[in-house]
């Protein structure tokens, strides 16, 4: 029997320690991999360091395919392209999407104040979405934490999922437990996590109602498209809007990048490496 001091026993001890260290490293790697979306085989490493925020955690949206647009017209739909109830730009098409990370909820007043120390808001609204922010200001905030605004396709994919849901939570009509819209009190913003029944299956809140969200139009390519005053897009509806505008496929067009309003906020996304 070998003694602990025997050279062969010491070599065996070093080998066993090496095996345990290797197993611990492997366990650590597996611990930071996250199962995302609905595909059990789809995994991704953790989010970018700049996305990790105790006030607004990033949610993984796995790569996948969905049907974008509206296959059936809504009862309120109009044939007039100038009408806000026009659905002509909601053409149906199947799209394949890369994975990305999206903030759990809209950027709040408390978050935005870290970016702009002069940002002022009423007491008690720290967890309400920041509003009166222009598209340019939203893009600057997103860049400051290493992200960007979602494209229209990313936003709709997060809201609809592979099932191409009508609303972020499913196909059932909005209620005040699911979304904050025109039928609900108060007639102003509410806490970003106050409508949990309206979250997506992945756990993203507020994609319908509370505030509209700035997105990057389909034609806009970050880094190559000039930032001009051509129309920008809004998605999701607000506390002033009817259920028609809360649909995930609804597109609110023709807003300049310098426009601001009490019904408009935003959230940030990051590419999935």
């Amino acid at each position: 029997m070998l003694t602990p001091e025997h050279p062969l026993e010491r070599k065996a001890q070093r080998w066993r320690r090496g095996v345990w260290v290797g197993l611990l490293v492997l366990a650590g790697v597996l611990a930071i991999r996250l199962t995302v979306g609905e595909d059990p085989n789809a995994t991704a490493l953790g989010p970018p360091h700049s996305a990790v925020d105790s006030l607004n955690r990033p949610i993984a949206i796995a790569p996948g395919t969905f049907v974008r647009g509206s296959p059936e017209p809504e009862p309120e739909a109009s044939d007039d392209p100038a009408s806000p109830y026009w659905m002509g730009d909601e053409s149906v098409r199947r799209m394949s999407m890369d994975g990305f990370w999206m903030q759990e909820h809209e950027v709040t007043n408390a978050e935005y104040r870290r970016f702009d120390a002069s940002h002022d808001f009423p007491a008690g609204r720290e967890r309400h979405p920041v509003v009166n922010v222009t598209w340019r200001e939203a893009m600057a905030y997103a860049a400051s934490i290493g992200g960007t605004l979602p494209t229209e396709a990313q936003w709709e994919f997060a809201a609809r999922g592979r099932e191409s849901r009508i609303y972020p939570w499913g196909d059932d009509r909005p209620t005040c437990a699911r979304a904050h819209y025109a039928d609900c009190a108060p007639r102003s913003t509410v806490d970003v996590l106050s409508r949990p029944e309206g979250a997506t299956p992945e756990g993203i809140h507020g994609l319908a109602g509370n505030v509209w969200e700035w997105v990057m139009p389909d034609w806009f390519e970050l880094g190559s498209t000039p930032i001009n005053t051509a129309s920008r897009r809004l998605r999701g509806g607000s506390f002033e809007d009817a259920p028609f505008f809360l649909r995930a496929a609804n597109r609110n067009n023709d807003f300049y990048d310098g426009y601001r309003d009490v019904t408009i906020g935003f959230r940030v996304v990051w590419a999935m490496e």
Side-chain angles (χ1 to χ4, degrees):
M1 183 174 180
L2 299 177
T3 65
E5 292 76 20
H6 194 282
L8 292 178
E9 179 60 24
R10 290 200 299 270
K11 184 176 181 181
Q13 291 174 353
R14 288 196 297 270
W15 179 84
R16 287 193 292 269
R17 284 196 297 269
V19 170
W20 278 110
V21 170
L23 290 173
L24 289 171
V25 170
L26 178 60
V29 171
L30 292 175
I32 65 171
R33 295 187 68 88
L34 303 175
T35 300
V36 293
E38 299 172 5
D39 182 355
N41 297 315
T43 58
L45 291 175
H49 178 72
S50 62
V52 178
D53 188 342
S54 61
L55 297 184
N56 199 344
R57 67 192 182 100
I59 302 291
I61 304 297
T65 301
F66 79 115
V67 176
R68 184 176 174 182
S70 297
E72 300 292 337
E74 293 289 309
E76 309 97 319
S78 170
D79 294 330
D80 181 3
S83 169
Y85 291 90
W86 185 60
M87 296 177 64
D89 59 352
E90 297 179 22
S91 58
V92 174
R93 55 201 183 278
R94 182 172 291 276
M95 296 188 68
S96 294
M97 301 291 299
D98 294 332
F100 56 95
W101 298 89
M102 174 177 270
Q103 287 184 314
E104 180 180 28
H105 52 73
E106 298 102 340
V107 173
T108 64
N109 285 310
E111 294 167 59
Y112 198 77
R113 179 173 277 179
R114 297 181 306 187
F115 169 71
D116 178 2
S118 67
H119 175 60
D120 193 25
F121 55 89
R125 295 193 176 186
E126 289 78 8
R127 297 291 293 166
H128 287 221
V130 63
V131 296
N132 277 318
V133 177
T134 70
W135 186 91
R136 285 175 178 264
E137 290 167 342
M139 284 286 282
Y141 177 94
S144 75
I145 56 174
T148 187
L149 294 179
T151 64
E152 282 199 88
Q154 285 177 323
W155 192 97
E156 190 167 335
F157 183 43
R160 305 195 75 183
R162 294 170 182 79
E163 316 95 313
S164 296
R165 303 178 294 267
I166 297 175
Y167 302 99
W169 56 84
D171 294 342
D172 294 334
R173 296 280 288 179
T175 66
C176 293
R178 296 184 179 121
H180 186 54
Y181 62 108
D183 290 353
C184 311
R187 191 74 169 202
S188 63
T189 60
V190 295
D191 186 294
V192 290
L193 295 178
S194 62
R195 302 293 186 269
E197 292 184 25
T200 69
E202 292 81 11
I204 297 180
H205 292 248
L207 287 171
N210 210 7
V211 292
W212 290 97
E213 298 182 16
W214 284 118
V215 295
M216 290 200 296
D218 288 333
W219 54 261
F220 190 95
E221 293 183 16
L222 190 64
S224 62
T225 301
I227 297 180
N228 51 38
T229 55
S231 64
R232 300 296 191 256
R233 300 280 195 257
L234 295 169
R235 290 297 196 118
S238 78
F239 60 84
E240 290 188 345
D241 294 292
F244 177 89
F245 301 100
L246 274 60
R247 297 175 301 108
N250 181 69
R251 306 174 75 193
N252 201 355
N253 306 331
D254 302 326
F255 290 86
Y256 290 149
D257 57 8
Y259 182 75
R260 65 178 77 242
D261 192 77
V262 296
T263 64
I264 298 175
F266 69 98
R267 75 179 75 212
V268 179
V269 299
W270 297 262
M272 187 174 288
E273 302 297 335

